[in-house]
Amino acid sequence: MSRSGEFCPRCGDEIPEAADERPDLGGAGGGRNTERVLCDACYFEEFDLVDAPDTVQVRVCSRCGAVHKGNRWVDIGAEDYTDIAVEQVSEALGVHVDAQSVAWQVAPEQVDQNNIRMHAEFSGVIRGTPVTEQVTVPVRISRQTCKRCGKIAGGSFASIVQVRADERAPTDEERERAEEIAREYVAAREETGDRNAFVTEVKEVDDGLNMKISTNQMGLGIAKRITAQLGGSYSDSRRLITEDEDGQELYRMTYAVRLPRYRQGEIIDPEDGDGPVLVRSVQGNLKGVRLATGADYEASFEAGDAPDAERLGFREDAVPTTLVAVEDENAVQVLDPETFESVTVPRPDYLDVDADEVPVLKSQAGLHVLPDDGSDADDDG
């Protein structure tokens, strides 16, 4: 009978030769481990296949639902945190280094809103012997406030975007759209993982809208997007508010957005002798169409400026009336929508002479035929 000559230091039983074989440690003595080892019985008495923590804490923001991972908060958009609990328990568990062919499965048990029990079962092979082990790890959902939500709750902001209009107050639609643009931009940045992107406050004032924004860069981006979509221009100013721990000066920026004096769809009279204009675009120079001729109009002002003009109304003020007759290439007869008398008015190029009805606007400048809704396409794209 073959003997290894080795005995278990704990119980004194002889250790079979196969159990005493160990990998080559790289020493001069060859490929056999010279350290004394335990027999299988003693080895398995103190063997743990799995090293599990007593408990795992999952830190969750009670306001936005973000989860703290490592040294930062991460937005996950989860309705519950079971998957997160499984993930963090999996990261916390350790399997014995000598185990081979390890397999495991976990079954979460929701105890209540803030407590989950993770029942895990592991199997593996040690010294040629299949072993299994079951562990239960309590998971505690700890609800806190993340840094971002803390800033929002505390009213933190770095820039202000002021939305005003030139010689008028912004309309309700313009105010709503300006806020939408800001929130859409912030949401897009949030989707990239930028947790410094948020709108702290939106406040309507008599002459427009004030928005407090998380960073100066975000404020600038919002101002640019509002003017790109609604027209007009913006300017900026800064105010020193503090210094950081390195002595760097920190400024709060104000971005003043000035929407155009006139709106798309507004009818104005530049009083240059060529008659009223239907405004088609307020991007850059004001562009429109002459109601008397159908000719294109563009104000000869720098981008963001507007000519002095008489306000006559809006496209939505137009009413349909009967096209009575075409007199010649310059004039047609229509029914006055108020007196129902036949009136001769200018014939613009866009007028459909085969139409039974045409939209007209009556103002202090007279009665004028407007283009159909689709004939003066929006140039603001």
Side-chain angles (χ1 to χ4, degrees):
M1 177 172 139
S2 174
R3 293 180 176 273
S4 67
E6 294 289 340
F7 296 89
C8 175
R10 175 172 297 178
C11 67
D13 288 348
E14 183 180 3
I15 300 174
E17 184 175 355
D20 192 32
E21 293 179 355
R22 289 290 183 268
D24 186 357
L25 298 179
R32 191 175 167 82
N33 182 11
T34 58
E35 294 182 1
R36 300 188 67 186
V37 296
L38 300 176
C39 66
D40 285 351
C42 293
Y43 179 81
F44 283 117
E45 279 184 4
E46 62 180 31
F47 173 80
D48 288 320
L49 176 62
V50 181
D51 180 20
D54 293 334
T55 186
V56 168
Q57 184 181 72
V58 177
R59 295 169 60 188
V60 174
C61 178
S62 59
R63 291 176 176 264
C64 70
V67 174
H68 193 270
K69 293 184 177 182
N71 60 354
R72 65 192 184 99
W73 290 90
V74 179
D75 293 306
I76 62 170
E79 294 183 0
D80 63 65
Y81 299 96
T82 301
D83 291 342
I84 301 299
V86 170
E87 177 184 335
Q88 294 202 13
V89 168
S90 300
E91 294 173 354
L93 293 172
V95 180
H96 199 287
V97 67
D98 292 336
Q100 299 176 340
S101 303
V102 176
W104 69 288
Q105 59 184 2
V106 62
E109 176 193 354
Q110 188 80 43
V111 179
D112 55 38
Q113 185 179 6
N114 296 321
N115 292 278
I116 303 172
R117 290 195 188 99
M118 289 295 172
H119 303 282
E121 182 174 333
F122 288 78
S123 63
V125 178
I126 300 293
R127 291 188 174 186
T129 302
V131 294
T132 61
E133 188 168 331
Q134 294 180 342
V135 294
T136 298
V137 180
V139 178
R140 171 72 177 174
I141 306 298
S142 176
R143 302 187 184 275
Q144 305 174 0
T145 300
C146 70
K147 186 176 181 180
R148 176 178 184 269
C149 290
K151 287 182 176 180
I152 296 173
S156 174
F157 66 99
S159 64
I160 300 174
V161 177
Q162 297 176 337
V163 181
R164 304 292 188 268
D166 183 17
E167 295 189 359
R168 64 182 179 89
T171 65
D172 291 342
E173 292 79 8
E174 287 172 325
R175 296 175 197 238
E176 291 173 3
R177 183 59 192 142
E179 182 178 351
E180 285 179 2
I181 291 170
R183 295 197 182 279
E184 287 169 359
Y185 179 51
V186 168
R189 292 296 299 269
E190 285 182 296
E191 289 181 0
T192 68
D194 186 355
R195 303 200 85 249
N196 288 321
F198 55 86
V199 177
T200 301
E201 180 184 80
V202 176
K203 182 178 181 181
E204 289 197 12
V205 293
D206 291 340
D207 55 350
L209 194 69
N210 291 343
M211 295 183 286
K212 295 180 179 179
I213 309 300
S214 56
T215 69
N216 290 330
Q217 186 277 333
M218 291 289 300
L220 175 60
I222 290 170
K224 286 181 175 179
R225 281 157 179 78
I226 291 175
T227 54
Q229 295 189 35
L230 300 182
S233 60
Y234 71 90
S235 60
D236 61 67
S237 60
R238 66 178 186 173
R239 180 169 64 89
L240 179 65
I241 55 173
T242 188
E243 293 183 354
D244 64 17
E245 56 187 13
D246 297 324
Q248 297 294 319
E249 295 180 336
L250 300 178
Y251 291 89
R252 175 166 293 155
M253 299 296 297
T254 297
Y255 299 96
V257 174
R258 186 181 69 167
L259 301 180
R261 186 178 307 174
Y262 308 111
R263 295 162 46 199
Q264 181 187 352
E266 189 168 3
I267 292 91
I268 63 174
D269 187 355
E271 298 182 340
D272 55 5
D274 292 328
V277 171
L278 170 63
V279 178
R280 295 192 302 179
S281 172
V282 291
Q283 298 287 19
N285 285 347
L286 183 147
K287 303 177 184 67
V289 58
R290 292 283 187 180
L291 299 185
T293 63
D296 289 337
Y297 169 85
E298 182 171 355
S300 56
F301 288 75
E302 293 185 3
D305 291 336
D308 291 328
E310 189 76 21
R311 300 178 188 271
L312 302 179
F314 294 89
R315 165 182 283 287
E316 54 263 34
D317 298 328
V319 295
T321 193
T322 302
L323 176 61
V324 178
V326 177
E327 294 187 355
D328 55 36
E329 61 181 13
N330 296 316
V332 295
Q333 289 186 8
V334 299
L335 286 183
D336 185 309
E338 295 179 358
T339 66
F340 300 103
E341 296 178 352
S342 181
V343 180
T344 298
V345 300
R347 173 186 169 181
D349 292 342
Y350 52 74
L351 185 142
D352 181 4
V353 295
D354 295 324
D356 295 325
E357 288 187 337
V358 293
V360 296
L361 177 76
K362 189 173 183 179
S363 69
Q364 61 193 40
L367 192 63
H368 290 86
V369 178
L370 271 58
D372 292 332
D373 288 344
S375 63
D376 61 329
D378 182 0
D379 294 335
D380 287 344

